[in-house]
PDB file of all heavy atoms in Angstrom:
ATOM      1  N   HIS A  92      97.634 151.937 238.002  1.00 92.00           N
ATOM      2  CA  HIS A  92      99.071 151.870 237.832  1.00 92.00           C
ATOM      3  C   HIS A  92      99.669 153.171 237.317  1.00 92.00           C
ATOM      4  O   HIS A  92     100.774 153.184 236.802  1.00 92.00           O
ATOM      5  CB  HIS A  92      99.434 150.726 236.867  1.00 92.00           C
ATOM      6  CG  HIS A  92      99.102 149.379 237.409  1.00 92.00           C
ATOM      7  ND1 HIS A  92      98.735 148.321 236.609  1.00 92.00           N
ATOM      8  CD2 HIS A  92      99.061 148.928 238.678  1.00 92.00           C
ATOM      9  CE1 HIS A  92      98.496 147.263 237.382  1.00 92.00           C
ATOM     10  NE2 HIS A  92      98.683 147.610 238.634  1.00 92.00           N
ATOM     11  N   SER A  93      98.933 154.251 237.453  1.00 91.00           N
ATOM     12  CA  SER A  93      99.469 155.499 236.924  1.00 91.00           C
ATOM     13  C   SER A  93     100.486 156.085 237.892  1.00 91.00           C
ATOM     14  O   SER A  93     100.320 156.035 239.112  1.00 91.00           O
ATOM     15  CB  SER A  93      98.342 156.490 236.643  1.00 91.00           C
ATOM     16  OG  SER A  93      98.255 157.435 237.684  1.00 91.00           O
ATOM     17  N   LEU A  94     101.549 156.629 237.336  1.00 92.00           N
ATOM     18  CA  LEU A  94     102.641 157.144 238.164  1.00 92.00           C
ATOM     19  C   LEU A  94     102.152 158.267 239.071  1.00 92.00           C
ATOM     20  O   LEU A  94     102.526 158.350 240.246  1.00 92.00           O
ATOM     21  CB  LEU A  94     103.773 157.649 237.261  1.00 92.00           C
ATOM     22  CG  LEU A  94     105.021 158.145 237.988  1.00 92.00           C
ATOM     23  CD1 LEU A  94     105.702 157.015 238.726  1.00 92.00           C
ATOM     24  CD2 LEU A  94     106.003 158.770 236.996  1.00 92.00           C
ATOM     25  N   ALA A  95     101.297 159.107 238.547  1.00 91.00           N
ATOM     26  CA  ALA A  95     100.792 160.220 239.349  1.00 91.00           C
ATOM     27  C   ALA A  95     100.038 159.701 240.568  1.00 91.00           C
ATOM     28  O   ALA A  95     100.116 160.267 241.656  1.00 91.00           O
ATOM     29  CB  ALA A  95      99.889 161.105 238.488  1.00 91.00           C
ATOM     30  N   ASN A  96      99.316 158.618 240.362  1.00 90.00           N
ATOM     31  CA  ASN A  96      98.580 158.030 241.468  1.00 90.00           C
ATOM     32  C   ASN A  96      99.522 157.456 242.518  1.00 90.00           C
ATOM     33  O   ASN A  96      99.310 157.600 243.723  1.00 90.00           O
ATOM     34  CB  ASN A  96      97.662 156.933 240.921  1.00 90.00           C
ATOM     35  CG  ASN A  96      96.572 156.582 241.891  1.00 90.00           C
ATOM     36  OD1 ASN A  96      95.995 157.446 242.516  1.00 90.00           O
ATOM     37  ND2 ASN A  96      96.314 155.290 242.039  1.00 90.00           N
ATOM     38  N   CYS A  97     100.585 156.791 242.042  1.00 90.00           N
ATOM     39  CA  CYS A  97     101.583 156.261 242.979  1.00 90.00           C
ATOM     40  C   CYS A  97     102.161 157.403 243.809  1.00 90.00           C
ATOM     41  O   CYS A  97     102.283 157.296 245.038  1.00 90.00           O
ATOM     42  CB  CYS A  97     102.745 155.607 242.233  1.00 90.00           C
ATOM     43  SG  CYS A  97     102.309 154.323 241.072  1.00 90.00           S
ATOM     44  N   VAL A  98     102.520 158.484 243.126  1.00 91.00           N
ATOM     45  CA  VAL A  98     103.138 159.615 243.816  1.00 91.00           C
ATOM     46  C   VAL A  98     102.178 160.209 244.838  1.00 91.00           C
ATOM     47  O   VAL A  98     102.549 160.513 245.969  1.00 91.00           O
ATOM     48  CB  VAL A  98     103.579 160.686 242.791  1.00 91.00           C
ATOM     49  CG1 VAL A  98     104.014 161.956 243.491  1.00 91.00           C
ATOM     50  CG2 VAL A  98     104.700 160.159 241.926  1.00 91.00           C
ATOM     51  N   ASP A  99     100.917 160.342 244.430  1.00 89.00           N
ATOM     52  CA  ASP A  99      99.913 160.901 245.336  1.00 89.00           C
ATOM     53  C   ASP A  99      99.859 160.145 246.650  1.00 89.00           C
ATOM     54  O   ASP A  99      99.788 160.731 247.727  1.00 89.00           O
ATOM     55  CB  ASP A  99      98.525 160.804 244.669  1.00 89.00           C
ATOM     56  CG  ASP A  99      98.205 162.069 243.907  1.00 89.00           C
ATOM     57  OD1 ASP A  99      98.999 163.014 243.981  1.00 89.00           O
ATOM     58  OD2 ASP A  99      97.168 162.101 243.224  1.00 89.00           O
ATOM     59  N   CYS A 100      99.902 158.815 246.543  1.00 88.00           N
ATOM     60  CA  CYS A 100      99.741 157.998 247.732  1.00 88.00           C
ATOM     61  C   CYS A 100     101.034 157.911 248.525  1.00 88.00           C
ATOM     62  O   CYS A 100     101.028 157.989 249.743  1.00 88.00           O
ATOM     63  CB  CYS A 100      99.289 156.613 247.287  1.00 88.00           C
ATOM     64  SG  CYS A 100      98.210 155.842 248.458  1.00 88.00           S
ATOM     65  N   HIS A 101     102.142 157.752 247.828  1.00 89.00           N
ATOM     66  CA  HIS A 101     103.394 157.476 248.503  1.00 89.00           C
ATOM     67  C   HIS A 101     104.153 158.720 248.918  1.00 89.00           C
ATOM     68  O   HIS A 101     105.220 158.615 249.531  1.00 89.00           O
ATOM     69  CB  HIS A 101     104.300 156.634 247.588  1.00 89.00           C
ATOM     70  CG  HIS A 101     103.911 155.194 247.535  1.00 89.00           C
ATOM     71  ND1 HIS A 101     104.100 154.332 248.586  1.00 89.00           N
ATOM     72  CD2 HIS A 101     103.325 154.466 246.552  1.00 89.00           C
ATOM     73  CE1 HIS A 101     103.648 153.136 248.246  1.00 89.00           C
ATOM     74  NE2 HIS A 101     103.169 153.188 247.027  1.00 89.00           N
ATOM     75  N   ALA A 102     103.632 159.884 248.587  1.00 88.00           N
ATOM     76  CA  ALA A 102     104.355 161.108 248.944  1.00 88.00           C
ATOM     77  C   ALA A 102     104.471 161.209 250.455  1.00 88.00           C
ATOM     78  O   ALA A 102     103.537 160.904 251.198  1.00 88.00           O
ATOM     79  CB  ALA A 102     103.631 162.319 248.388  1.00 88.00           C
ATOM     80  N   ASP A 103     105.641 161.661 250.898  1.00 86.00           N
ATOM     81  CA  ASP A 103     105.875 161.867 252.317  1.00 86.00           C
ATOM     82  C   ASP A 103     104.877 162.916 252.825  1.00 86.00           C
ATOM     83  O   ASP A 103     104.811 164.008 252.298  1.00 86.00           O
ATOM     84  CB  ASP A 103     107.321 162.381 252.486  1.00 86.00           C
ATOM     85  CG  ASP A 103     107.718 162.513 253.942  1.00 86.00           C
ATOM     86  OD1 ASP A 103     106.829 162.548 254.811  1.00 86.00           O
ATOM     87  OD2 ASP A 103     108.928 162.592 254.194  1.00 86.00           O
ATOM     88  N   PRO A 104     104.104 162.590 253.873  1.00 84.00           N
ATOM     89  CA  PRO A 104     103.084 163.548 254.320  1.00 84.00           C
ATOM     90  C   PRO A 104     103.669 164.894 254.735  1.00 84.00           C
ATOM     91  O   PRO A 104     103.022 165.917 254.609  1.00 84.00           O
ATOM     92  CB  PRO A 104     102.436 162.852 255.520  1.00 84.00           C
ATOM     93  CG  PRO A 104     103.054 161.519 255.629  1.00 84.00           C
ATOM     94  CD  PRO A 104     104.115 161.347 254.628  1.00 84.00           C
ATOM     95  N   LYS A 105     104.929 164.872 255.202  1.00 85.00           N
ATOM     96  CA  LYS A 105     105.502 166.149 255.657  1.00 85.00           C
ATOM     97  C   LYS A 105     105.916 167.024 254.469  1.00 85.00           C
ATOM     98  O   LYS A 105     105.640 168.216 254.442  1.00 85.00           O
ATOM     99  CB  LYS A 105     106.728 165.885 256.544  1.00 85.00           C
ATOM    100  CG  LYS A 105     106.370 165.377 257.927  1.00 85.00           C
ATOM    101  CD  LYS A 105     107.560 165.434 258.878  1.00 85.00           C
ATOM    102  CE  LYS A 105     108.744 164.586 258.438  1.00 85.00           C
ATOM    103  NZ  LYS A 105     108.473 163.138 258.450  1.00 85.00           N
ATOM    104  N   THR A 106     106.604 166.434 253.486  1.00 87.00           N
ATOM    105  CA  THR A 106     107.131 167.259 252.393  1.00 87.00           C
ATOM    106  C   THR A 106     106.248 167.219 251.147  1.00 87.00           C
ATOM    107  O   THR A 106     106.380 168.046 250.268  1.00 87.00           O
ATOM    108  CB  THR A 106     108.525 166.772 251.985  1.00 87.00           C
ATOM    109  OG1 THR A 106     108.387 165.424 251.502  1.00 87.00           O
ATOM    110  CG2 THR A 106     109.485 166.791 253.147  1.00 87.00           C
ATOM    111  N   GLY A 107     105.376 166.193 251.075  1.00 87.00           N
ATOM    112  CA  GLY A 107     104.533 166.056 249.883  1.00 87.00           C
ATOM    113  C   GLY A 107     105.297 165.526 248.685  1.00 87.00           C
ATOM    114  O   GLY A 107     104.793 165.559 247.566  1.00 87.00           O
ATOM    115  N   ARG A 108     106.525 164.996 248.890  1.00 90.00           N
ATOM    116  CA  ARG A 108     107.351 164.567 247.755  1.00 90.00           C
ATOM    117  C   ARG A 108     107.765 163.113 247.900  1.00 90.00           C
ATOM    118  O   ARG A 108     107.768 162.567 248.991  1.00 90.00           O
ATOM    119  CB  ARG A 108     108.616 165.419 247.702  1.00 90.00           C
ATOM    120  CG  ARG A 108     108.379 166.886 247.470  1.00 90.00           C
ATOM    121  CD  ARG A 108     109.661 167.648 247.528  1.00 90.00           C
ATOM    122  NE  ARG A 108     110.583 167.151 246.497  1.00 90.00           N
ATOM    123  CZ  ARG A 108     111.819 167.598 246.343  1.00 90.00           C
ATOM    124  NH1 ARG A 108     112.292 168.516 247.162  1.00 90.00           N
ATOM    125  NH2 ARG A 108     112.584 167.125 245.398  1.00 90.00           N
ATOM    126  N   VAL A 109     108.130 162.510 246.776  1.00 90.00           N
ATOM    127  CA  VAL A 109     108.691 161.158 246.810  1.00 90.00           C
ATOM    128  C   VAL A 109     110.190 161.166 246.575  1.00 90.00           C
ATOM    129  O   VAL A 109     110.823 160.125 246.489  1.00 90.00           O
ATOM    130  CB  VAL A 109     108.014 160.244 245.756  1.00 90.00           C
ATOM    131  CG1 VAL A 109     106.573 159.981 246.120  1.00 90.00           C
ATOM    132  CG2 VAL A 109     108.133 160.849 244.382  1.00 90.00           C
ATOM    133  N   THR A 110     110.758 162.345 246.418  1.00 91.00           N
ATOM    134  CA  THR A 110     112.206 162.480 246.281  1.00 91.00           C
ATOM    135  C   THR A 110     112.643 163.567 247.240  1.00 91.00           C
ATOM    136  O   THR A 110     111.836 164.172 247.924  1.00 91.00           O
ATOM    137  CB  THR A 110     112.614 162.911 244.852  1.00 91.00           C
ATOM    138  OG1 THR A 110     112.007 164.172 244.572  1.00 91.00           O
ATOM    139  CG2 THR A 110     112.187 161.898 243.821  1.00 91.00           C
ATOM    140  N   GLY A 111     113.942 163.805 247.276  1.00 87.00           N
ATOM    141  CA  GLY A 111     114.437 164.931 248.066  1.00 87.00           C
ATOM    142  C   GLY A 111     115.176 164.525 249.315  1.00 87.00           C
ATOM    143  O   GLY A 111     115.843 165.343 249.917  1.00 87.00           O
ATOM    144  N   SER A 112     115.064 163.271 249.727  1.00 85.00           N
ATOM    145  CA  SER A 112     115.843 162.845 250.900  1.00 85.00           C
ATOM    146  C   SER A 112     115.913 161.328 250.895  1.00 85.00           C
ATOM    147  O   SER A 112     115.206 160.659 250.157  1.00 85.00           O
ATOM    148  CB  SER A 112     115.193 163.336 252.186  1.00 85.00           C
ATOM    149  OG  SER A 112     114.093 162.508 252.491  1.00 85.00           O
ATOM    150  N   ARG A 113     116.754 160.805 251.751  1.00 83.00           N
ATOM    151  CA  ARG A 113     116.907 159.357 251.843  1.00 83.00           C
ATOM    152  C   ARG A 113     115.663 158.684 252.414  1.00 83.00           C
ATOM    153  O   ARG A 113     115.512 157.476 252.329  1.00 83.00           O
ATOM    154  CB  ARG A 113     118.110 159.029 252.748  1.00 83.00           C
ATOM    155  CG  ARG A 113     119.434 159.318 252.101  1.00 83.00           C
ATOM    156  CD  ARG A 113     119.835 158.132 251.292  1.00 83.00           C
ATOM    157  NE  ARG A 113     120.837 158.419 250.306  1.00 83.00           N
ATOM    158  CZ  ARG A 113     121.923 157.703 250.141  1.00 83.00           C
ATOM    159  NH1 ARG A 113     122.159 156.685 250.939  1.00 83.00           N
ATOM    160  NH2 ARG A 113     122.766 157.983 249.189  1.00 83.00           N
ATOM    161  N   ASP A 114     114.806 159.467 253.054  1.00 82.00           N
ATOM    162  CA  ASP A 114     113.584 158.883 253.617  1.00 82.00           C
ATOM    163  C   ASP A 114     112.419 158.962 252.649  1.00 82.00           C
ATOM    164  O   ASP A 114     111.364 158.399 252.917  1.00 82.00           O
ATOM    165  CB  ASP A 114     113.200 159.637 254.906  1.00 82.00           C
ATOM    166  CG  ASP A 114     114.256 159.489 255.972  1.00 82.00           C
ATOM    167  OD1 ASP A 114     114.775 158.362 256.109  1.00 82.00           O
ATOM    168  OD2 ASP A 114     114.569 160.487 256.642  1.00 82.00           O
ATOM    169  N   ALA A 115     112.632 159.680 251.562  1.00 87.00           N
ATOM    170  CA  ALA A 115     111.542 159.788 250.594  1.00 87.00           C
ATOM    171  C   ALA A 115     111.312 158.426 249.963  1.00 87.00           C
ATOM    172  O   ALA A 115     112.233 157.631 249.799  1.00 87.00           O
ATOM    173  CB  ALA A 115     111.905 160.816 249.525  1.00 87.00           C
ATOM    174  N   PHE A 116     110.075 158.157 249.567  1.00 88.00           N
ATOM    175  CA  PHE A 116     109.717 156.804 249.175  1.00 88.00           C
ATOM    176  C   PHE A 116     110.515 156.290 247.984  1.00 88.00           C
ATOM    177  O   PHE A 116     111.192 155.277 248.062  1.00 88.00           O
ATOM    178  CB  PHE A 116     108.216 156.721 248.873  1.00 88.00           C
ATOM    179  CG  PHE A 116     107.778 155.338 248.581  1.00 88.00           C
ATOM    180  CD1 PHE A 116     107.653 154.408 249.604  1.00 88.00           C
ATOM    181  CD2 PHE A 116     107.525 154.930 247.282  1.00 88.00           C
ATOM    182  CE1 PHE A 116     107.281 153.108 249.338  1.00 88.00           C
ATOM    183  CE2 PHE A 116     107.147 153.627 247.011  1.00 88.00           C
ATOM    184  CZ  PHE A 116     107.023 152.718 248.041  1.00 88.00           C
ATOM    185  N   CYS A 117     110.435 157.016 246.881  1.00 91.00           N
ATOM    186  CA  CYS A 117     111.114 156.526 245.673  1.00 91.00           C
ATOM    187  C   CYS A 117     112.625 156.657 245.787  1.00 91.00           C
ATOM    188  O   CYS A 117     113.371 155.723 245.518  1.00 91.00           O
ATOM    189  CB  CYS A 117     110.634 157.298 244.446  1.00 91.00           C
ATOM    190  SG  CYS A 117     108.874 157.136 244.150  1.00 91.00           S
ATOM    191  N   GLU A 118     113.045 157.842 246.196  1.00 90.00           N
ATOM    192  CA  GLU A 118     114.484 158.102 246.182  1.00 90.00           C
ATOM    193  C   GLU A 118     115.215 157.237 247.198  1.00 90.00           C
ATOM    194  O   GLU A 118     116.337 156.806 246.956  1.00 90.00           O
ATOM    195  CB  GLU A 118     114.763 159.584 246.489  1.00 90.00           C
ATOM    196  CG  GLU A 118     116.228 159.937 246.286  1.00 90.00           C
ATOM    197  CD  GLU A 118     116.475 161.438 246.347  1.00 90.00           C
ATOM    198  OE1 GLU A 118     115.649 162.178 245.789  1.00 90.00           O
ATOM    199  OE2 GLU A 118     117.472 161.820 246.966  1.00 90.00           O
ATOM    200  N   GLY A 119     114.576 156.955 248.317  1.00 88.00           N
ATOM    201  CA  GLY A 119     115.233 156.173 249.356  1.00 88.00           C
ATOM    202  C   GLY A 119     115.677 154.808 248.849  1.00 88.00           C
ATOM    203  O   GLY A 119     116.860 154.445 248.914  1.00 88.00           O
ATOM    204  N   CYS A 120     114.734 154.058 248.301  1.00 88.00           N
ATOM    205  CA  CYS A 120     115.084 152.715 247.821  1.00 88.00           C
ATOM    206  C   CYS A 120     115.996 152.769 246.606  1.00 88.00           C
ATOM    207  O   CYS A 120     116.899 151.950 246.453  1.00 88.00           O
ATOM    208  CB  CYS A 120     113.806 151.941 247.463  1.00 88.00           C
ATOM    209  SG  CYS A 120     112.989 151.275 248.909  1.00 88.00           S
ATOM    210  N   HIS A 121     115.739 153.730 245.737  1.00 91.00           N
ATOM    211  CA  HIS A 121     116.572 153.809 244.538  1.00 91.00           C
ATOM    212  C   HIS A 121     118.001 154.159 244.880  1.00 91.00           C
ATOM    213  O   HIS A 121     118.947 153.642 244.280  1.00 91.00           O
ATOM    214  CB  HIS A 121     115.982 154.836 243.561  1.00 91.00           C
ATOM    215  CG  HIS A 121     115.004 154.235 242.610  1.00 91.00           C
ATOM    216  ND1 HIS A 121     115.344 153.859 241.336  1.00 91.00           N
ATOM    217  CD2 HIS A 121     113.693 153.906 242.765  1.00 91.00           C
ATOM    218  CE1 HIS A 121     114.280 153.341 240.739  1.00 91.00           C
ATOM    219  NE2 HIS A 121     113.266 153.355 241.576  1.00 91.00           N
ATOM    220  N   ALA A 122     118.192 155.028 245.885  1.00 89.00           N
ATOM    221  CA  ALA A 122     119.553 155.370 246.302  1.00 89.00           C
ATOM    222  C   ALA A 122     120.218 154.152 246.921  1.00 89.00           C
ATOM    223  O   ALA A 122     121.384 153.869 246.672  1.00 89.00           O
ATOM    224  CB  ALA A 122     119.516 156.522 247.299  1.00 89.00           C
ATOM    225  N   TYR A 123     119.465 153.407 247.710  1.00 89.00           N
ATOM    226  CA  TYR A 123     120.021 152.219 248.345  1.00 89.00           C
ATOM    227  C   TYR A 123     120.437 151.180 247.309  1.00 89.00           C
ATOM    228  O   TYR A 123     121.496 150.576 247.383  1.00 89.00           O
ATOM    229  CB  TYR A 123     118.980 151.619 249.308  1.00 89.00           C
ATOM    230  CG  TYR A 123     119.484 150.395 250.028  1.00 89.00           C
ATOM    231  CD1 TYR A 123     120.362 150.513 251.091  1.00 89.00           C
ATOM    232  CD2 TYR A 123     119.086 149.129 249.621  1.00 89.00           C
ATOM    233  CE1 TYR A 123     120.839 149.398 251.747  1.00 89.00           C
ATOM    234  CE2 TYR A 123     119.553 148.011 250.276  1.00 89.00           C
ATOM    235  CZ  TYR A 123     120.426 148.142 251.343  1.00 89.00           C
ATOM    236  OH  TYR A 123     120.893 147.027 251.984  1.00 89.00           O
ATOM    237  N   ALA A 124     119.547 150.987 246.310  1.00 90.00           N
ATOM    238  CA  ALA A 124     119.840 149.976 245.297  1.00 90.00           C
ATOM    239  C   ALA A 124     120.744 150.505 244.189  1.00 90.00           C
ATOM    240  O   ALA A 124     121.117 149.760 243.289  1.00 90.00           O
ATOM    241  CB  ALA A 124     118.516 149.471 244.700  1.00 90.00           C
ATOM    242  N   ALA A 125     121.077 151.791 244.240  1.00 91.00           N
ATOM    243  CA  ALA A 125     121.920 152.437 243.222  1.00 91.00           C
ATOM    244  C   ALA A 125     121.353 152.255 241.833  1.00 91.00           C
ATOM    245  O   ALA A 125     122.051 151.877 240.896  1.00 91.00           O
ATOM    246  CB  ALA A 125     123.362 151.932 243.296  1.00 91.00           C
ATOM    247  N   VAL A 126     120.060 152.484 241.712  1.00 92.00           N
ATOM    248  CA  VAL A 126     119.407 152.437 240.403  1.00 92.00           C
ATOM    249  C   VAL A 126     118.989 153.858 240.069  1.00 92.00           C
ATOM    250  O   VAL A 126     118.286 154.502 240.841  1.00 92.00           O
ATOM    251  CB  VAL A 126     118.161 151.525 240.445  1.00 92.00           C
ATOM    252  CG1 VAL A 126     117.429 151.563 239.123  1.00 92.00           C
ATOM    253  CG2 VAL A 126     118.572 150.112 240.797  1.00 92.00           C
ATOM    254  N   LYS A 127     119.424 154.319 238.898  1.00 91.00           N
ATOM    255  CA  LYS A 127     119.127 155.714 238.549  1.00 91.00           C
ATOM    256  C   LYS A 127     117.627 155.919 238.418  1.00 91.00           C
ATOM    257  O   LYS A 127     116.916 155.124 237.797  1.00 91.00           O
ATOM    258  CB  LYS A 127     119.816 156.075 237.232  1.00 91.00           C
ATOM    259  CG  LYS A 127     119.625 157.538 236.884  1.00 91.00           C
ATOM    260  CD  LYS A 127     120.438 157.940 235.671  1.00 91.00           C
ATOM    261  CE  LYS A 127     120.096 159.393 235.341  1.00 91.00           C
ATOM    262  NZ  LYS A 127     120.544 159.808 234.043  1.00 91.00           N
ATOM    263  N   LEU A 128     117.172 156.992 239.007  1.00 90.00           N
ATOM    264  CA  LEU A 128     115.755 157.299 238.989  1.00 90.00           C
ATOM    265  C   LEU A 128     115.575 158.533 238.132  1.00 90.00           C
ATOM    266  O   LEU A 128     115.862 159.647 238.559  1.00 90.00           O
ATOM    267  CB  LEU A 128     115.304 157.578 240.432  1.00 90.00           C
ATOM    268  CG  LEU A 128     113.855 157.966 240.684  1.00 90.00           C
ATOM    269  CD1 LEU A 128     112.938 156.841 240.274  1.00 90.00           C
ATOM    270  CD2 LEU A 128     113.678 158.292 242.159  1.00 90.00           C
ATOM    271  N   ASP A 129     115.129 158.353 236.899  1.00 88.00           N
ATOM    272  CA  ASP A 129     115.005 159.550 236.074  1.00 88.00           C
ATOM    273  C   ASP A 129     113.571 159.911 235.722  1.00 88.00           C
ATOM    274  O   ASP A 129     113.336 160.794 234.913  1.00 88.00           O
ATOM    275  CB  ASP A 129     115.883 159.433 234.814  1.00 88.00           C
ATOM    276  CG  ASP A 129     115.381 158.381 233.856  1.00 88.00           C
ATOM    277  OD1 ASP A 129     114.431 157.659 234.196  1.00 88.00           O
ATOM    278  OD2 ASP A 129     115.946 158.273 232.754  1.00 88.00           O
ATOM    279  N   CYS A 130     112.611 159.238 236.354  1.00 93.00           N
ATOM    280  CA  CYS A 130     111.211 159.586 236.093  1.00 93.00           C
ATOM    281  C   CYS A 130     110.965 161.044 236.398  1.00 93.00           C
ATOM    282  O   CYS A 130     110.233 161.731 235.688  1.00 93.00           O
ATOM    283  CB  CYS A 130     110.275 158.762 236.959  1.00 93.00           C
ATOM    284  SG  CYS A 130     110.654 157.038 237.008  1.00 93.00           S
ATOM    285  N   PHE A 131     111.560 161.495 237.531  1.00 94.00           N
ATOM    286  CA  PHE A 131     111.204 162.819 238.017  1.00 94.00           C
ATOM    287  C   PHE A 131     112.016 163.923 237.381  1.00 94.00           C
ATOM    288  O   PHE A 131     111.939 165.074 237.787  1.00 94.00           O
ATOM    289  CB  PHE A 131     111.253 162.837 239.544  1.00 94.00           C
ATOM    290  CG  PHE A 131     110.313 161.816 240.127  1.00 94.00           C
ATOM    291  CD1 PHE A 131     110.786 160.671 240.707  1.00 94.00           C
ATOM    292  CD2 PHE A 131     108.942 161.992 239.999  1.00 94.00           C
ATOM    293  CE1 PHE A 131     109.916 159.704 241.184  1.00 94.00           C
ATOM    294  CE2 PHE A 131     108.061 161.039 240.476  1.00 94.00           C
ATOM    295  CZ  PHE A 131     108.547 159.884 241.070  1.00 94.00           C
ATOM    296  N   GLU A 132     112.802 163.578 236.355  1.00 94.00           N
ATOM    297  CA  GLU A 132     113.346 164.653 235.518  1.00 94.00           C
ATOM    298  C   GLU A 132     112.205 165.339 234.796  1.00 94.00           C
ATOM    299  O   GLU A 132     112.267 166.510 234.465  1.00 94.00           O
ATOM    300  CB  GLU A 132     114.329 164.075 234.494  1.00 94.00           C
ATOM    301  CG  GLU A 132     115.710 163.847 235.037  1.00 94.00           C
ATOM    302  CD  GLU A 132     116.675 163.362 233.964  1.00 94.00           C
ATOM    303  OE1 GLU A 132     116.678 163.926 232.854  1.00 94.00           O
ATOM    304  OE2 GLU A 132     117.425 162.409 234.245  1.00 94.00           O
TER     305      GLU A 132
END
Side-chain angles (χ1 to χ4, degrees):
Chain A
H92 294 149
S93 101
L94 183 65
N96 198 41
C97 305
V98 171
D99 268 355
C100 213
H101 283 289
D103 185 342
K105 286 193 299 294
T106 62
R108 297 176 60 183
V109 292
T110 60
S112 78
R113 287 274 161 131
D114 297 319
F116 185 75
C117 300
E118 188 170 319
C120 281
H121 270 262
Y123 181 77
V126 176
K127 184 173 176 194
L128 178 63
D129 68 354
C130 314
F131 301 107
E132 278 184 45

